[in-house]
Amino acid sequence: VDGCTFYAHRICFEQISEFIGSNLGSGLKSLQTQIRKICTDPDQAGERLKSDSPAIQGRVYKIWVRGDAVSKGKGHRLIYITVPAQKAALGVHFSLELRSEFSYKDVDWQALAEQVVQDFTEGRIEAFHRIEVPRG
Amino acid sequence: VVALSRDAIRRAVLMSAIGSYSQGVFGAKRLHKVLYFAERESREKPFTFVKHLYGQWSEEVEDTLLQLAAAGAISVTPLDSGRGNSFRSTSSQLVSITQRVVEKALPDFHHALQATIRDRGYLPEERLTALAYELPEFSRAGAGVELVTGNVPERITVDISDQDAEDIELDLNPVFVSSMSKVVSAIDSSTLNLGRAPSTRLD
C-alpha cells in the first residue's frame, strides 16, 4: 500500500484516546509522527511480523510510539494491519503501558479479534474511526 | 532484563534447534532424540520426556511443534519416505533471535544442544535410535515412565533486549498469529467501506 488513510478500530481508538488524555506533550507528538509515517508508507513505517503465516499475508505490523523520556527499543506499541484494497491501515491495538511494563501474554488477542471480525461482518461502520493528524 | 514465560522459552528452544539444521530436521523422532540427549547432559531441562513406543518422547515438544507451525514459524512437509515429516524454520531472523535468547536463558542447555546436534544430530536414524535405546535409564524404565522431568520455571528472567523479547512473545505466539489471521480474513471478505467511518482529528 503506497500512501493510505489510517483508521482505528473502536478498541484501539479508546486506547489511543486514553493515551492522549495523559500524554498531551511528547507522547501525542510521537503518535502523530508515527501515524503520519504509516499514512505515507505503511509497509515501511512499522516492522512486519516475522512469522511467515500465509493467512497473515505479511500484513501485520507493529510500530513504537515514544515520548521524550522513552529510550530506543522501549515505548508504547501500536499494532496495525494493512488493507490494500482500500488503501488503508487499521490500528487494532495500542498498549497504554510501556512495553517493558506488560506482557503480551496478558492481552486477550482472541477476544480482540472476535470484536473486530464481528464489526466487519455486521458492517458496523461506527466501530471504525478515521484518524487525521495535523501536518508535521 | 525481561521476564519470559515458559511457553515462550519452549518455543524459542524448538525454533533454535530446528534452525540449527540448514536443511531442516527430518522426522519428529530425530528431533525428540536430539533434545533428549541435550537435556540429559544439561542441568536445565525445558521439556519432560517419557518412555514411549518410539523411544524417548515428549508431549510438550509435540505441542510446541504444533504451536510453531500454527504461528507460521516452521513449515511441516511430509518426507519422501512417507513416514513422518520434515520441519524447517521459515525465518532466519527468528532463528538468530531464538538462539540468542536460549543462550541467555538456558546457557547450559544451549551448549549441550549445539554439541548434540554437532556430534549426533546428523547420524543415520537407525544409529541415533540405537544410541538412545542403549541408555541405561531407558532400558530400565517401563512404558510411560518419566525419563527426564522438565525444570524450567513458569516465568524466567532473561538479560535480553526488549526487541528480542518482543519478537519471542509476539511473532512466535500462535494465539496472536491466529487471531490476526482471522482479522485479515474478515477484512478481505467484508464489503464495509472504511471511507464512510467518522473522522477524528488527533491534536
Side-chain angles (χ1 to χ4, degrees), chain A residues 49-71:
Chain A
L49 199 74
K50 293 179 184 70
S51 292
D52 191 27
S53 163
I56 290 261
Q57 301 173 38
R59 284 167 51 189
V60 179
Y61 293 82
K62 46 197 178 167
I63 192 166
W64 290 112
V65 173
R66 302 190 180 94
D68 286 344
V70 185
S71 59

Side-chain angles (χ1 to χ4, degrees), chain A residues 7 20 32 47 50-52 57 59 62 73-74 77 86 99 103-104 109-110 113 123 125 128 130 132 134, chain B residues 71-72 90 162-163 166-167 169 171 176 179 181 183 187-188 190 192-195 197-202:
Chain A
Y7 297 88
I20 292 171
Q32 289 171 334
E47 296 161 60
K50 293 179 184 70
S51 292
D52 191 27
Q57 301 173 38
R59 284 167 51 189
K62 46 197 178 167
K74 296 191 184 296
R77 277 307 223 180
Q86 301 199 45
R99 178 63 194 92
S103 167
Y104 282 121
W109 297 113
Q110 282 171 310
I125 194 64
F128 301 90
R130 177 188 174 129
E132 291 175 6
Chain B
T90 56
D162 283 5
Q163 186 66 55
E166 172 103 343
D167 291 333
E169 272 207 323
D171 298 40
F176 175 72
S179 299
S181 304
V183 175
I187 289 172
D188 289 352
S190 168
L192 195 71
N193 177 6
L194 286 171
S199 274
T200 301
R201 195 172 161 84
L202 272 198

Side-chain angles (χ1 to χ4, degrees), chain B residues 68-167:
Chain B
L68 288 178
I74 59 168
S75 62
V76 183
T77 314
L79 289 170
D80 290 340
S81 65
R83 293 173 59 201
N85 299 299
S86 75
F87 307 93
R88 196 169 180 170
S89 64
T90 56
S91 161
S92 56
Q93 251 184 315
L94 275 175
V95 170
S96 308
I97 295 162
T98 53
Q99 287 177 341
R100 270 204 305 276
V101 169
V102 175
E103 188 173 10
K104 291 273 189 177
L106 311 172
D108 199 33
F109 176 79
H110 172 76
H111 294 301
L113 178 64
Q114 293 309 315
T116 303
I117 291 172
R118 185 190 63 224
D119 300 338
R120 284 168 274 186
Y122 292 92
L123 290 174
E125 191 171 299
E126 297 72 28
R127 178 76 189 116
L128 185 67
T129 305
L131 284 177
Y133 285 14
E134 278 168 15
L135 294 171
E137 74 273 18
F138 182 78
S139 44
R140 272 200 310 266
V145 167
E146 235 174 69
L147 298 167
V148 164
T149 305
N151 63 5
V152 173
E154 204 161 313
R155 286 194 93 74
I156 183 165
T157 306
V158 191
D159 185 11
I160 54 170
S161 68
D162 283 5
Q163 186 66 55
D164 281 354
E166 172 103 343
D167 291 333

Side-chain angles (χ1 to χ4, degrees), chain A:
Chain A
V1 187
D2 186 17
C4 73
T5 307
F6 184 79
Y7 297 88
H9 177 256
R10 62 185 161 85
I11 295 175
C12 183
F13 181 73
E14 282 164 19
Q15 291 163 330
I16 287 175
S17 303
E18 198 175 331
F19 171 76
I20 292 171
S22 50
N23 292 275
L24 269 177
S26 60
L28 170 62
K29 216 171 209 173
S30 173
L31 179 59
Q32 289 171 334
T33 304
Q34 300 305 63
I35 291 177
R36 229 176 271 126
K37 277 189 202 166
I38 295 170
C39 291
T40 305
D41 187 348
D43 298 311
Q44 292 298 320
E47 296 161 60
R48 183 177 297 197
L49 199 74
K50 293 179 184 70
S51 292
D52 191 27
S53 163
I56 290 261
Q57 301 173 38
R59 284 167 51 189
V60 179
Y61 293 82
K62 46 197 178 167
I63 192 166
W64 290 112
V65 173
R66 302 190 180 94
D68 286 344
V70 185
S71 59
K72 199 169 186 294
K74 296 191 184 296
H76 305 268
R77 277 307 223 180
L78 173 60
I79 295 174
Y80 65 92
I81 300 175
T82 57
V83 188
Q86 301 199 45
K87 281 208 154 204
L90 176 68
V92 290
H93 177 77
F94 183 79
S95 73
L96 288 168
E97 292 171 274
L98 290 172
R99 178 63 194 92
S100 49
E101 290 161 15
F102 74 92
S103 167
Y104 282 121
K105 214 173 178 240
D106 301 329
V107 181
D108 191 343
W109 297 113
Q110 282 171 310
L112 167 68
E114 274 168 30
Q115 293 290 314
V116 183
V117 168
Q118 198 175 352
D119 288 334
F120 266 107
T121 311
E122 295 177 5
R124 289 188 199 137
I125 194 64
E126 67 281 5
F128 301 90
H129 296 260
R130 177 188 174 129
I131 306 289
E132 291 175 6
V133 291
R135 287 179 194 278

